[in-house]
C-alpha cells in the first residue's frame, strides 16, 4: 500500500527527524510545540535548554530557522554599513594616495637666478635712421665681446642697442644668449619672451629659451621650444639640445597623462559615491512615506475610509462613492492621480469632496480640481452632479448628449376628422 504522502515530503520529513536527533532542543522552540507534544504523548522526553543554530547557520531540512528569519533587515543594515565603510576607505585612500615618483636625469640642471629684470626699452618708440645705425654698431661691438667670452660686456652693448631700437627682436634674443653663458636662465627667458612678442617666428628666441628651460629642469617646455626652433630654422646645436631633453620630456608627459587619468577616475568614484548616498537618502524617505496619514494620505488607508476612499473597498465600485459601480474607470491612470495628490491644494480638496460629494460645487471654478474630478469620473459623478439641481440636469458639467429624444406627453392630440355628412336642417 502506498503511503498517503508524496515522496518529496517524506524526504523532507526524514531530514527533519535526522536534524532533531542531532539537535533535540530545537523542539523547545514555540513554533515546534506541536511536535514536542506529539513526542511526549508517546512517552518521549525532550531535553531542556535553548536551541543553538549549528555552525552552518542553516537547517538542512529546508530553510533557515525562525531565529534567523529576522536577519534580512540586519543583513541589509550590515550591507549599508559595509558600503559606508567601503566609501570611507575609498575616500581615505584617494586622499592619502601619494603622487608616484618619476625618475629623471637631472644632470646639468642649475639653480634659478633671481636678479632684477633687465631693461627692455620703450616698445612704443620709433627709432630714427641715425639711431638704427648706432644700434647696429653696438650690436657689432656686442658680438665681438661675446666671441671673446666677455659676456657681461656683450650684455651691456646689447642693452644700449635695445634702448636705441627696442623693436628689434634679434637684439633681445642675442642678449638672452649672453645671459645663458652667465648661467642666468630666467633672464634669458625674459629676453626671449620679449623677442617672441616682437616676432613670433624667431627661431633664435625659441632655441635659447628652450635651452634656458632645460637648465631649470623644465624638460617639457624645453622640448617644445627646441622642436619649434628646428621647425622654423633647423640648427644642429638646437637638434642636439632637443635629443638631450626628449627622454625626460617623454617620461614627464607619460606621468602627467597617468595622473590625469587617476584624477578622472577619482572624480568618477566621488560622483558614484554621491549618487549612492542620494539613492539611500531617497530610499529612506520613500520608506518613511511622503504624505500624512498611515498610508500617506489622510485616513487609515490614505484617503478617508477603511480602504482609503470612503467605503470598505476604498475605490469606486467597491463600496466607495455612493452609487458608484464597476470599479476604476477604464484607462484611469492611478500614478497620475497620486502625482497630482502631492499638491496640498488638490489633496485638501479631494478630502473635502470625498467627505461630502456635494462640496464639489465649491470647486467648479477651480479648473485644477474640477478637471481632476471629471477625469476620474468620465461617465458622470456618482449619484448625479452635485453642482446641478438634480441628478439628471442638462446643465451638469458631467452630462453628455442624450442618446434619444423623449416623447412629450403634453403635446396636443390631433383633432378628430369631421364626418362627410352635413346636417342641412331640412328634416
Amino acid at each position: 500500500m502506498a503511503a498517503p504522502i508524496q515522496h518529496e515530503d517524506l524526504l523532507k520529513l526524514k531530514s527533519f527527524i535526522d536534524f532533531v536527533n542531532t539537535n533535540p532542543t530545537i523542539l523547545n522552540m514555540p513554533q515546534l510545540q506541536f511536535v514536542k507534544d506529539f513526542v511526549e504523548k508517546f512517552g518521549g522526553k525532550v531535553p531542556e535548554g535553548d536551541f543553538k543554530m549549528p555552525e552552518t547557520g542553516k537547517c538542512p531540512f529546508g530553510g533557515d530557522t525562525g531565529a534567523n528569519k529576522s536577519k534580512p533587515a540586519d543583513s541589509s543594515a550590515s550591507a549599508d554599513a559595509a558600503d559606508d565603510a567601503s566609501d570611507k576607505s575609498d575616500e581615505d585612500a584617494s586622499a592619502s594616495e601619494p603622487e608616484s615618483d618619476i625618475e629623471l636625469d637631472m644632470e646639468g640642471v642649475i639653480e634659478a637666478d633671481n636678479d632684477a629684470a633687465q631693461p627692455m626699452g620703450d616698445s612704443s618708440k620709433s627709432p630714427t635712421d641715425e639711431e638704427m645705425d648706432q644700434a647696429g654698431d653696438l650690436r657689432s661691438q656686442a658680438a665681438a665681446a661675446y666671441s671673446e667670452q666677455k659676456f657681461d660686456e656683450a650684455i651691456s652693448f646689447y642693452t644700449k642697442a635695445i634702448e636705441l631700437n627696442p623693436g628689434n627682436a634679434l637684439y633681445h634674443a642675442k642678449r638672452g644668449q649672453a645671459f645663458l653663458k652667465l648661467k642666468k636662465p630666467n633672464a634669458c627667458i625674459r629676453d626671449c619672451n620679449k623677442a617672441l612678442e616682437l616676432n613670433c617666428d624667431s627661431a633664435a628666441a625659441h632655441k635659447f629659451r628652450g635651452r634656458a628651460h632645460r637648465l631649470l629642469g623644465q624638460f617639457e617646455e624645453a622640448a617644445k621650444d627646441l622642436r619649434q626652433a628646428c621647425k622654423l630654422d633647423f640648427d644642429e646645436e638646437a637638434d642636439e639640445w632637443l635629443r638631450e631633453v626628449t627622454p625626460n620630456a617623454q617620461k614627464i608627459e607619460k606621468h602627467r597623462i597617468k595622473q590625469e587619468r587617476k584624477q578622472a577616475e577619482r572624480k568618477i568614484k566621488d560622483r558614484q559615491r554621491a549618487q549612492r548616498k542620494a539613492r539611500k537618502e531617497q530610499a529612506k524617505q520613500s520608506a518613511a512615506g511622503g504624505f500624512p496619514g498611515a498610508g500617506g494620505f489622510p485616513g487609515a488607508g490614505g484617503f478617508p475610509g477603511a480602504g482609503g476612499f470612503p467605503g470598505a473597498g476604498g475605490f469606486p465600485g467597491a463600496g466607495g462613492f455612493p452609487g458608484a459601480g464597476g470599479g476604476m474607470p477604464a484607462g484611469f491612470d492611478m500614478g497620475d492621480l497620486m502625482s497630482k495628490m502631492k499638491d496640498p491644494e488638490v489633496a485638501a480638496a479631494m478630502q473635502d469632496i470625498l467627505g461630502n460629494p456635494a462640496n464639489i460645487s465649491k470647486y467648479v471654478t477651480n479648473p485644477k480640481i474640477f478637471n481632476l474630478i471629471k477625469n476620474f469620473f468620465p461617465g458622470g459623478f456618482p449619484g448625479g452632479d452635485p453642482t446641478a439641481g438634480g441628478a439628471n440636469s442638462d446643465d451638469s458639467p458631467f452630462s453628455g448628449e442624450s442618446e434619444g429624444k423623449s416623447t412629450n406627453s403634453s403635446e396636443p392630440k390631433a383633432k378628430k376628422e369631421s364626418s362627410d355628412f352635413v346636417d342641412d336642417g331640412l328634416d
Side-chain angles (χ1 to χ4, degrees), residues 2 29 66 110 143 161 235 242 258:
M29 296 180 67
I110 62 175
D235 180 272
L242 176 60
K258 180 179 179 182

Side-chain angles (χ1 to χ4, degrees), residues 232-272:
L232 293 171
D233 184 12
F234 183 80
D235 180 272
E236 291 185 359
E237 186 178 38
D239 183 60
E240 181 182 351
W241 288 348
L242 176 60
R243 284 187 277 109
E244 180 182 336
V245 300
T246 297
N248 281 347
Q250 290 178 342
K251 289 181 181 179
I252 294 173
E253 182 180 11
K254 291 179 181 178
H255 177 74
R256 187 186 68 255
I257 294 174
K258 180 179 179 182
Q259 293 303 316
E260 290 175 352
R261 184 177 66 252
K262 285 185 177 181
Q263 290 179 1
E265 293 174 353
R266 192 177 299 118
K267 289 181 179 179
I268 293 174
K269 289 181 179 179
D270 291 341
R271 185 164 59 249
Q272 290 175 344

Side-chain angles (χ1 to χ4, degrees), residues 133-384:
D133 292 339
Q134 292 176 2
D137 293 338
L138 289 170
R139 177 203 169 183
S140 299
Q141 296 178 48
Y146 182 89
S147 64
E148 296 175 3
Q149 298 187 356
K150 297 177 182 179
F151 304 118
D152 286 321
E153 186 176 341
I155 290 173
S156 177
F157 284 125
Y158 279 124
T159 301
K160 292 177 181 179
I162 289 171
E163 290 175 350
L164 291 171
N165 187 6
N168 192 306
L170 185 59
Y171 294 170
H172 289 280
K174 297 300 286 185
R175 186 173 67 172
Q177 181 184 19
F179 277 121
L180 271 183
K181 293 296 184 178
L182 295 177
K183 306 296 183 184
K184 294 183 178 182
N186 280 330
C188 174
I189 290 173
R190 287 192 294 268
D191 261 331
C192 292
N193 286 343
K194 183 64 177 179
L196 291 170
E197 179 183 328
L198 298 170
N199 178 14
C200 61
D201 291 330
S202 174
H206 280 293
K207 174 183 175 180
F208 299 136
R209 189 174 68 173
R211 184 60 178 177
H213 281 305
R214 184 263 178 270
L215 295 178
L216 291 172
Q218 300 165 353
F219 297 102
E220 277 192 298
E221 293 84 349
K224 181 178 179 182
D225 269 331
L226 292 170
R227 193 177 297 115
Q228 183 66 16
C230 291
K231 180 178 179 182
L232 293 171
D233 184 12
F234 183 80
D235 180 272
E236 291 185 359
E237 186 178 38
D239 183 60
E240 181 182 351
W241 288 348
L242 176 60
R243 284 187 277 109
E244 180 182 336
V245 300
T246 297
N248 281 347
Q250 290 178 342
K251 289 181 181 179
I252 294 173
E253 182 180 11
K254 291 179 181 178
H255 177 74
R256 187 186 68 255
I257 294 174
K258 180 179 179 182
Q259 293 303 316
E260 290 175 352
R261 184 177 66 252
K262 285 185 177 181
Q263 290 179 1
E265 293 174 353
R266 192 177 299 118
K267 289 181 179 179
I268 293 174
K269 289 181 179 179
D270 291 341
R271 185 164 59 249
Q272 290 175 344
R273 279 195 295 269
Q275 291 174 349
R276 285 198 298 268
K277 185 176 180 181
R279 284 196 293 267
K280 288 178 184 178
E281 292 296 331
Q282 186 177 6
K284 289 180 181 179
Q285 293 178 2
S286 300
F291 296 97
F297 290 102
F303 285 104
F309 286 102
F315 289 104
F321 287 104
M328 295 289 292
F332 179 73
D333 187 352
M334 188 61 184
D336 181 55
L337 172 64
M338 300 305 289
S339 175
K340 292 179 179 178
M341 291 302 293
K342 293 180 180 180
D343 187 338
E345 180 186 0
V346 175
M350 287 296 292
Q351 184 177 1
D352 184 29
I353 294 170
L354 293 171
N356 182 5
N359 290 342
I360 192 176
S361 60
K362 297 192 299 183
Y363 304 99
V364 172
T365 58
N366 189 333
K368 178 166 59 174
I369 307 299
F370 202 65
N371 289 335
L372 177 62
I373 297 298
K374 287 204 299 182
N375 291 336
F376 192 65
F377 302 106
F381 198 81

